[in-house]
C-alpha cells in the first residue's frame, strides 16, 4: 500500500507512503484517496481529514512522471486516465464537506500542491519548499496550479511558473498557497491535538510567518512579468539591472520554449476564469495537448531518466514556437470534457 489510511480520534488520516520516490503519486494512490473520501464524507465520526507524507523529506514530489513519460511514448491512455482522476480529486478536495488539513512540510511539488494547496488548513514549516516546476520537464502547471499561481499577488505567480522556482514557507503564505506556519518540530504535537480536539487546535500552534524573500523582489518581478510575451519578459529581465532578474532570464532560457509560451497563455487565461473547476477544465485540455508534444518525454528523460540535464527541446528557441501550436492547447480535447 502506498497510502496509509486510518481513523484516529476525530480525523481521517491520509499518509502518502512512497518515501523512496518522495511520495510521488501513482494512479492507484489517487484512487485510494478518492475511495477514502467516499467513506469519510458520510462518516459522522470523521470531523476532518489530515494529509501528510512519510519519510521525513516531504509531502509529495508530484505525479509519477516516469509513468507519464512511458504513456506519452505510447498511446497516452494511462496519462489521460491518471490526470482525469487526479484533477477530479483536486476539485473534490477544494469542495470537500469537512476541513482538509495539509502538512506541507519539506518538498511539495506539482501533484503534491494539488493535494494540499486547495485545502482548508494548509500548514508550512521552515523546511517547506513548494513549487510548480513543470516547465523544467517540458510540461505546464496543472492540478489547479494555474488557478493558484494566477491569483498570487502581482506577477509573483508568473515568475514562479516560468522559472519553476520553489517557495519558502514565507513565500507560500504570501502567494496564497498556505495559511499557517508551524515549526516542524511541533508537528507531532499538533497532530495529536487535532486528532483529540479537531481543527480549532491548529490555532494554538501557529507562529508568526517567517520573511517572504519574494516580497522584496516585487518591483522588478511585477514589471518584467507583466509583458505580453515570453520574449518580452526575457528582454525586460535581462535589461532590468537587477542581478536576480538577469539570473531569472538565464533560468527561463534553459526551460522548454514551448512550455514557457503555453504556460504564460494558460496563466493569463486562468485569471479570467471564475472557478477552480473551470481552470482544471482548461488544464485538462492543455495537459492532453502537451502529452503529444515531444518536449514532455524529452524533459523527463533529461531530468529523471538519464539525468544528463541537457534536454533537446523542440523547437530550441522561443522564436520557433508557432502561435498556432500554443493555441491548439486550448481547443476542446478529443477525449471530451473533464467535468
Amino acid at each position: 500500500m502506498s497510502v496509509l489510511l486510518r481513523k484516529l480520534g476525530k480525523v481521517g488520516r491520509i499518509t502518502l507512503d512512497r518515501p523512496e520516490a518522495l511520495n510521488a503519486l501513482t494512479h492507484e494512490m489517487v484512487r485510494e484517496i478518492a475511495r477514502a473520501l467516499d467513506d469519510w464524507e458520510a462518516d459522522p465520526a470523521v470531523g476532518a481529514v489530515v494529509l501528510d507524507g512519510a519519510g521525513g523529506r516531504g509531502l509529495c514530489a508530484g505525479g509519477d512522471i516516469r509513468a507519464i513519460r512511458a504513456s506519452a511514448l505510447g498511446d497516452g491512455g494511462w496519462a489521460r486516465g491518471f490526470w482525469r482522476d487526479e484533477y477530479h480529486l483536486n476539485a473534490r478536495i477544494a469542495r470537500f464537506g469537512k476541513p482538509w488539513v495539509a502538512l506541507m512540510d519539506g518538498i511539495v511539488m506539482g501533484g503534491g500542491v494539488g493535494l494540499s494547496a486547495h485545502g482548508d488548513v494548509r500548514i508550512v514549516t521552515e523546511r517547506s519548499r513548494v513549487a510548480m516546476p513543470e516547465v523544467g520537464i517540458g510540461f505546464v502547471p496543472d492540478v489547479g496550479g494555474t488557478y493558484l499561481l494566477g491569483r498570487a499577488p502581482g506577477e509573483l505567480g508568473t515568475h514562479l511558473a516560468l522559472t519553476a522556482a520553489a517557495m519558502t514557507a514565507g513565500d507560500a503564505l504570501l502567494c496564497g498557497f498556505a495559511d499557517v506556519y508551524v515549526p516542524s518540530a511541533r508537528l507531532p504535537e499538533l497532530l495529536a491535538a487535532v486528532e483529540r480536539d479537531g481543527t480549532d487546535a491548529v490555532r494554538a500552534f501557529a507562529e508568526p510567518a517567517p520573511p517572504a524573500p519574494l516580497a522584496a523582489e516585487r518591483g522588478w518581478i511585477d514589471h518584467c512579468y507583466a509583458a505580453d510575451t515570453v520574449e518580452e519578459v526575457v528582454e525586460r529581465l535581462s535589461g532590468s539591472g537587477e542581478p536576480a532578474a538577469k539570473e531569472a532570464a538565464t533560468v527561463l532560457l534553459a526551460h522548454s520554449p514551448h512550455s514557457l509560451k503555453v504556460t504564460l497563455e494558460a496563466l493569463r487565461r486562468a485569471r479570467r476564469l471564475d472557478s477552480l473547476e473551470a481552470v482544471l477544465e482548461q488544464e485538462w485540455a492543455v495537459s492532453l495537448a502537451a502529452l503529444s508534444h515531444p518536449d514532455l518525454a524529452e524533459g523527463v528523460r533529461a531530468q529523471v531518466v538519464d539525468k544528463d540535464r541537457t534536454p533537446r527541446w523542440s523547437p530550441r528557441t522561443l522564436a520557433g514556437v508557432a502561435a498556432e501550436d500554443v493555441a491548439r492547447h486550448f481547443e476542446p480535447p478529443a477525449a471530451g470534457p473533464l467535468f
Side-chain angles (χ1 to χ4, degrees), residues 64-74 76 79 83 134-140 256 258-259 287-314:
D64 187 344
I65 57 176
R66 287 177 179 266
I68 291 170
R69 178 177 187 266
S71 186
L73 293 172
W83 285 330
E134 288 77 7
V135 292
I137 58 166
F139 193 41
V140 180
S256 159
H258 169 264
S259 294
S287 295
L288 295 188
L291 190 64
S292 64
H293 192 279
D295 277 5
L296 176 54
E298 173 61 13
V300 177
R301 179 207 64 78
Q303 299 297 334
V304 177
V305 179
D306 296 337
K307 299 182 181 180
D308 58 27
R309 307 291 192 267
T310 56
R312 296 180 288 274
W313 302 127
S314 178

Side-chain angles (χ1 to χ4, degrees), residues 40-183:
W40 293 344
E41 194 161 32
D43 187 342
V46 175
V49 175
V50 177
L51 173 75
D52 67 351
R57 293 192 296 152
L59 174 65
C60 176
D64 187 344
I65 57 176
R66 287 177 179 266
I68 291 170
R69 178 177 187 266
S71 186
L73 293 172
D75 64 5
W78 185 92
R80 287 191 293 272
F82 171 68
W83 285 330
R84 181 181 289 279
D85 288 345
E86 184 184 27
Y87 299 172
H88 278 149
L89 180 59
N90 300 147
R92 187 173 186 188
I93 288 168
R95 307 291 180 240
F96 194 60
K98 299 176 180 182
W100 183 275
V101 181
L103 304 190
M104 302 172 71
D105 183 38
I107 299 297
V108 187
M109 294 184 178
V113 172
L115 291 184
S116 57
H118 300 304
D120 303 288
V121 184
R122 304 164 301 172
I123 299 167
V124 285
T125 76
E126 78 284 355
R127 295 165 11 99
S128 295
R129 295 295 179 269
V130 183
M132 296 299 297
E134 288 77 7
V135 292
I137 58 166
F139 193 41
V140 180
D142 65 338
V143 298
T146 59
Y147 179 86
L148 296 162
L149 292 163
R151 285 156 177 76
E155 295 294 336
L156 292 180
T158 312
H159 169 70
L160 292 166
L162 299 187
T163 60
M167 290 173 270
T168 64
D171 288 334
L173 290 160
L174 170 67
C175 292
F177 282 68
D179 306 297
V180 180
Y181 174 78
V182 177

Side-chain angles (χ1 to χ4, degrees), residues 196-214:
R196 182 181 63 248
D197 303 323
T199 55
D200 287 345
V202 172
R203 288 194 295 250
F205 294 86
E207 296 195 5
L214 285 176

